[in-house]
């Protein structure tokens, strides 16, 4: 894996690339039910959905007419396609049919994964393939979690952990089958495993709210910004009270739930993106199978018409999406921050690696833990 140079976005070019949402979740979590509700919603029109089997979605009652052997048009205006073989081939066929006028001009794509799929290869397919990268952009990963069985699944299925770690939105399903205490404990666990994901229950969502899950803008800086300083005293440099507490909480979960943890590193000096990309590439090369997710907001000294522009970083396992420049810093703290979700990779290992790179590349100052 080689970290790419930041892309300079042109608004028109961004609009030409179709947004993609990935809908994932472990076997029986409820993602098919959520997808069926999306397809039945009037607000979901102009959506193309790639599914593994039509039968799993309960397509019969939604079907209007077949367009091709693996493509049907639904009453809501959605296009539903069966995935056969490689995801790339299915996407290319879908995009070609749209460009040639053989399909209605859909405005978004939803990819429903199998229950045992890890999102990493999907990220890699969409980000690393030049043909697809110029036509589509992965905007969100929605992970459906079964409120009744999640804690048991967490302890024995690594796919579940990868799905949760990759999520931008975690949709809690089957909350009616769990007690209030179980739901509260699960929410605490999910917040610890993926502090940047938005968490919501799906039971009472109407069609408009479900469609919004797939279309509403996602806050890419979630989980990256520090908490406001406590009024009781000043925080230590490089730390804040919220994250100090989270650090203690992380260790408790390491004992209770295995080796998966999340942690934040803070860098208090400007970074050279090219040199930093070399370090990150090396880290993912050696430890990518144990890094479930990495997000970052970086001070690389880039300026724009309204001042300094931070670099936003987003990666899943071995794949880093092309970094993007935000229009401005979203808060007053302008230090670089990296959030890791790891499985069996200790915070100290990443800290030592980053500190050694900083010492070699920029001098004696080190990264601080948050």
């Amino acid at each position: 894996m080689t970290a790419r140079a930041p892309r300079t976005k042109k608004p028109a070019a961004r609009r030409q690339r179709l947004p993609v949402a990935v809908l994932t979740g472990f076997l029986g979590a409820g993602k098919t039910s959520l997808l069926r509700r999306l397809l039945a919603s009037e607000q979901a029109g102009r959506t193309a959905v790639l599914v593994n089997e039509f039968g799993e979605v309960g397509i019969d009652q939604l079907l209007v007419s077949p367009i091709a052997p693996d493509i049907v048009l639904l009453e809501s205006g959605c296009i539903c396609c069966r995935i056969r073989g490689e995801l790339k081939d299915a996407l290319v066929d879908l995009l070609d049919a749209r460009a040639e006028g053989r399909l209605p001009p859909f405005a978004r794509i939803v990819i429903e994964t199998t229950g045992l799929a890890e999102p990493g290869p999907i990220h890699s397919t969409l980000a690393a393939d030049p043909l697809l990268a110029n036509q589509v952009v992965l905007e969100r990963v929605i992970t459906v979690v079964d409120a009744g069985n999640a804690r048991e699944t967490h302890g024995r299925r690594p796919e579940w952990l990868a799905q949760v770690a990759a999520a931008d939105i975690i949709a809690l399903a089957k909350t009616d089958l769990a007690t209030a205490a179980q739901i509260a404990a699960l929410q605490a666990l999910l917040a610890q495993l993926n502090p940047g994901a938005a968490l919501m229950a799906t039971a009472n969502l109407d069609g408009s709210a479900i469609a919004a899950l797939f279309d509403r803008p996602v806050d890419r800086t979630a989980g990256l910004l520090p908490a406001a300083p406590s009024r009781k005293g000043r925080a230590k440099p490089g730390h804040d009270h919220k994250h100090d507490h989270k650090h203690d909480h992380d260790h408790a979960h390491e004992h209770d739930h295995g080796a998966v943890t999340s942690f934040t590193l803070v860098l208090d000096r400007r970074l050279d993106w090219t040199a930093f990309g070399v370090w990150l590439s090396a880290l993912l090369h050696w430890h990518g199978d144990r890094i479930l997710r990495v997000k970052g907001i970086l001070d690389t000294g880039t300026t724009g018409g309204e001042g300094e522009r931070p670099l936003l970083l987003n990666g899943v396992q071995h794949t880093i999406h092309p970094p993007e420049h935000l229009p401005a810093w979203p808060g007053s703290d302008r230090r670089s921050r990296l959030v890791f979700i790891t499985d069996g990779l200790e915070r100290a290992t990443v800290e030592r690696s980053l500190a050694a790179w900083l010492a070699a590349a920029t001098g004696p100052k080190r990264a601080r833990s948050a």
Side-chain angles (χ1 to χ4, degrees), residues 33-91:
S33 297
L34 185 65
L35 180 58
R36 186 185 299 117
R37 291 164 67 190
L38 170 69
L39 296 178
S41 168
E42 294 180 359
Q43 291 84 3
R46 299 190 68 202
T47 297
V49 183
L50 284 170
V51 298
N52 297 293
E53 290 294 340
F54 288 150
E56 294 180 4
V57 184
I59 206 75
D60 293 342
Q61 71 272 25
L62 303 173
L63 178 63
V64 171
S65 61
I67 298 176
D70 295 321
I71 303 176
V72 294
L73 181 64
L74 307 184
E75 213 168 77
S76 62
C78 297
I79 299 158
C80 199
C81 308
R82 181 183 287 117
I83 299 175
R84 291 183 182 270
E86 296 294 328
L87 173 61
K88 176 187 174 180
D89 295 337
L91 282 168

Side-chain angles (χ1 to χ4, degrees), residues 3-6 271-281 300 311 357:
R4 299 185 182 183
L271 300 174
D272 177 276
W273 166 250
T274 301
F276 179 83
V278 171
W279 169 78
L280 185 60
S281 296
T300 59
L311 197 66
W357 170 77

Side-chain angles (χ1 to χ4, degrees), residues 134-182:
N134 287 328
Q135 298 187 69
V136 299
V137 56
L138 179 58
E139 287 206 334
R140 75 200 61 220
V141 175
I142 303 169
T143 299
V144 182
V145 170
D146 181 341
N149 296 326
R151 292 183 69 85
E152 179 184 356
T153 307
H154 163 56
R156 55 187 181 83
R157 299 303 308 206
E159 304 94 335
W160 185 90
L161 291 169
Q163 292 164 358
V164 168
D168 298 298
I169 299 171
I170 297 176
L172 279 183
K174 305 183 183 181
T175 51
D176 57 324
L177 303 179
T179 66
Q182 288 174 326

Side-chain angles (χ1 to χ4, degrees), residues 191-259:
Q192 185 267 329
L193 293 175
N194 188 344
L199 183 62
M200 59 190 66
T202 63
N204 298 318
L205 297 182
D206 59 16
S208 177
I210 290 174
L213 287 177
F214 296 85
D215 203 35
R216 185 175 297 160
V218 172
D219 180 9
R220 292 295 181 194
T221 64
L224 292 173
L225 302 181
S230 169
R231 294 182 179 181
K232 295 182 180 180
R234 296 179 60 187
K236 299 176 183 179
H239 295 70
D240 58 63
H241 290 292
K242 180 178 179 181
H243 279 287
D244 285 341
H245 175 74
K246 172 73 79 172
H247 175 63
D248 296 336
H249 190 62
D250 286 346
H251 280 289
H253 274 293
E254 285 175 12
H255 291 294
D256 293 341
H257 303 292

Side-chain angles (χ1 to χ4, degrees), residues 86-155:
E86 296 294 328
L87 173 61
K88 176 187 174 180
D89 295 337
L91 282 168
V92 169
D93 291 344
L94 189 65
L95 293 168
D96 286 348
R98 176 181 181 269
E100 294 165 5
R102 292 185 281 117
L103 290 179
F106 52 86
R108 66 189 62 83
I109 300 172
V110 175
I111 300 172
E112 184 245 5
T113 75
T114 67
L116 296 176
E118 294 189 8
I122 298 176
H123 277 255
S124 181
T125 296
L126 297 178
D129 185 273
L131 179 61
L132 292 178
N134 287 328
Q135 298 187 69
V136 299
V137 56
L138 179 58
E139 287 206 334
R140 75 200 61 220
V141 175
I142 303 169
T143 299
V144 182
V145 170
D146 181 341
N149 296 326
R151 292 183 69 85
E152 179 184 356
T153 307
H154 163 56

